[in-house]
Amino acid sequence: MRRAFFAATVFFSLAATGQPVLAAEAPYIDDRSDAEAVIRSLYSAINRQEFARAWDYFGDTKPAKDFDAFVKGYDGTDKVEVKTGGVSEDGAAGSIYYNVPVAIRATAKDGAEHVFAGCYTLRQINASIQEPPFRSIFIDKGALKPAKADFEDAVPESCGDGPSPPKKDAALEQAKKAFAATYGDQCDKEMPDGDPLGEPDAYSLRYKDAGAASDEPERETRLFRFFCSMAAYNESAVYYIADDVSGVRPLQFASPELDIHYENDNSEGKVEAINVIGFETDDQLVNSEYDDATKTISSLNKWRGVGDASSAGTYLFRHGNFSLVQYDVDASYDGEINPETVVDYNTAP
């Protein structure tokens, strides 16, 4: 292992970890929107042998005496993995400094693994006082040392002099990333009142498996509700759940496929019959909410603004998942609210 030194502060050089042979397999990440993203982008560049990009994430204090030395330092490593912890920040005149706890696992071409941990400090200069060329968030300094802990446990609890930042909610972060990736272009960019999208509603549901002994511990499932969009009288939401078996996954909601018969085939007339001819799934629920007291998610889809025609579903949490137990339909546009239950698993046979 080789080490490079910054001017007055000793830093563990990323060069000491080497770089992967199959660089094309590493994902391309170039995200300078926050401090953690810059660190992940740095290691993306290293793993892809894009050394000029890696070099550019640093400010005036570079990780080696010159660029050639920086590149030469990556001769012996197959890949580098990175984990980050909770980011803390400090304000200064015209800048914000971010402290990022980091652990890396460097795998050599001969298979040997080495774990290092420490902190990076990144600087964000107030954009309003900058002049060209603009400088985005950059790495100001950093120091990584060999770690005694395994890679999964090696990330420092905190960096800098400030209080330890709260630990990240891993399931929540995964759900947020999954929602952004799938629905980022489909859902609204802000709340109906114009405020930015906030955090999803989060719930913890505890239960025991069917047939579990009384002394067996409870299991936990997390539920996350994301606002998606608002129309004239209907609001849609997307749900994710997370557990220790399946990880984070989107919820799909069963809904009956309906065959509705109106008198004289007039949809404004009397309803003669509502038949369930199959089931579909929806990835969004309309006008929905979760009730922790009953462990149910309910939805109400208004077919028109006055609400006299609608469909409503009730989904009960049991055995670690949500099941459709009741579905009501009001198919008549008569100015009256008179739903008919077409699916009922609440009533014993």
Side-chain angles (χ1 to χ4, degrees):
M1 279 289 177
R2 287 184 292 185
R3 296 187 182 180
F5 295 84
F6 289 94
T9 309
V10 179
F11 298 94
F12 173 73
S13 172
L14 302 180
T17 64
Q19 56 103 68
V21 176
L22 302 177
E25 294 185 354
Y28 181 87
I29 303 171
D30 183 19
D31 185 351
R32 308 183 192 222
S33 60
D34 59 47
E36 181 184 21
V38 172
I39 297 300
R40 294 194 175 279
S41 299
L42 168 67
Y43 285 98
S44 164
I46 290 171
N47 279 328
R48 291 172 61 88
Q49 303 182 20
E50 296 166 353
F51 303 118
R53 180 162 70 91
W55 183 263
D56 189 61
Y57 291 117
F58 292 88
D60 293 336
T61 305
K62 297 298 185 181
K65 65 178 182 179
D66 56 41
F67 181 67
D68 289 340
F70 178 67
V71 175
K72 186 177 176 61
Y74 289 95
D75 289 338
T77 298
D78 181 57
K79 66 178 180 178
V80 181
E81 301 164 81
V82 60
K83 289 175 67 69
T84 58
V87 179
S88 60
E89 63 181 74
D90 296 300
S95 295
I96 299 175
Y97 290 88
Y98 300 94
N99 298 305
V100 185
V102 172
I104 64 171
R105 176 165 58 195
T107 304
K109 292 178 181 178
D110 62 5
E113 293 184 351
H114 303 275
V115 177
F116 299 84
C119 298
Y120 281 100
T121 298
L122 293 89
R123 182 182 179 189
Q124 180 180 5
I125 302 174
N126 189 336
S128 65
I129 65 174
Q130 292 195 49
E131 295 181 355
F134 172 75
R135 191 65 167 121
S136 57
I137 302 176
F138 61 88
I139 300 172
D140 187 56
K141 60 182 179 179
L144 303 183
K145 298 179 180 179
K148 296 180 179 180
D150 293 336
F151 176 57
E152 297 299 327
D153 301 317
V155 178
E157 291 187 2
S158 64
C159 293
D161 298 329
S164 299
K167 291 186 177 181
K168 284 191 174 182
D169 186 331
L172 172 60
E173 294 301 316
Q174 291 179 36
K176 288 164 62 176
K177 289 180 180 179
F179 174 76
T182 305
Y183 297 96
D185 294 331
Q186 301 179 36
C187 296
D188 295 346
K189 305 301 182 184
E190 58 184 25
M191 299 297 290
D193 58 5
D195 289 341
L197 291 178
E199 294 286 294
D201 297 325
Y203 307 92
S204 175
L205 291 70
R206 296 191 173 276
Y207 70 100
K208 288 189 176 183
D209 289 324
S214 59
D215 58 348
E216 287 190 22
E218 290 185 322
R219 298 183 59 186
E220 180 186 26
T221 291
R222 303 287 301 286
L223 175 68
F224 304 103
R225 180 189 185 276
F226 292 85
F227 166 81
C228 181
S229 62
M230 171 67 84
Y233 41 83
N234 285 322
E235 173 190 305
S236 67
V238 175
Y239 290 82
Y240 284 81
I241 60 173
D243 57 41
D244 58 356
V245 175
S246 302
V248 174
R249 56 191 171 90
L251 274 179
Q252 297 286 334
F253 297 92
S255 62
E257 183 180 358
L258 304 175
D259 179 29
I260 303 174
H261 295 268
Y262 294 93
E263 189 176 59
N264 299 322
D265 292 328
N266 177 15
S267 61
E268 299 292 328
K270 180 180 178 181
V271 177
E272 293 184 331
I274 303 175
N275 300 316
V276 176
I277 59 175
F279 284 86
E280 304 170 326
T281 58
D282 297 321
D283 63 346
Q284 299 180 33
L285 286 185
V286 178
N287 299 329
S288 64
E289 61 181 6
Y290 171 70
D291 184 348
D292 195 45
T294 60
K295 297 292 188 290
T296 58
I297 298 174
S298 58
S299 67
L300 174 62
N301 187 356
K302 296 180 181 179
W303 296 2
R304 67 177 181 180
V306 296
D308 60 337
S310 64
S311 54
T314 301
Y315 302 86
L316 174 66
F317 180 77
R318 54 187 176 191
H319 311 318
N321 212 336
F322 283 88
S323 301
L324 175 67
V325 294
Q326 185 169 328
Y327 203 85
D328 301 330
V329 178
D330 186 347
S332 58
Y333 297 85
D334 56 3
E336 301 289 336
I337 298 178
N338 45 11
E340 174 184 342
T341 299
V342 297
V343 171
D344 182 6
Y345 297 112
N346 286 311
T347 303

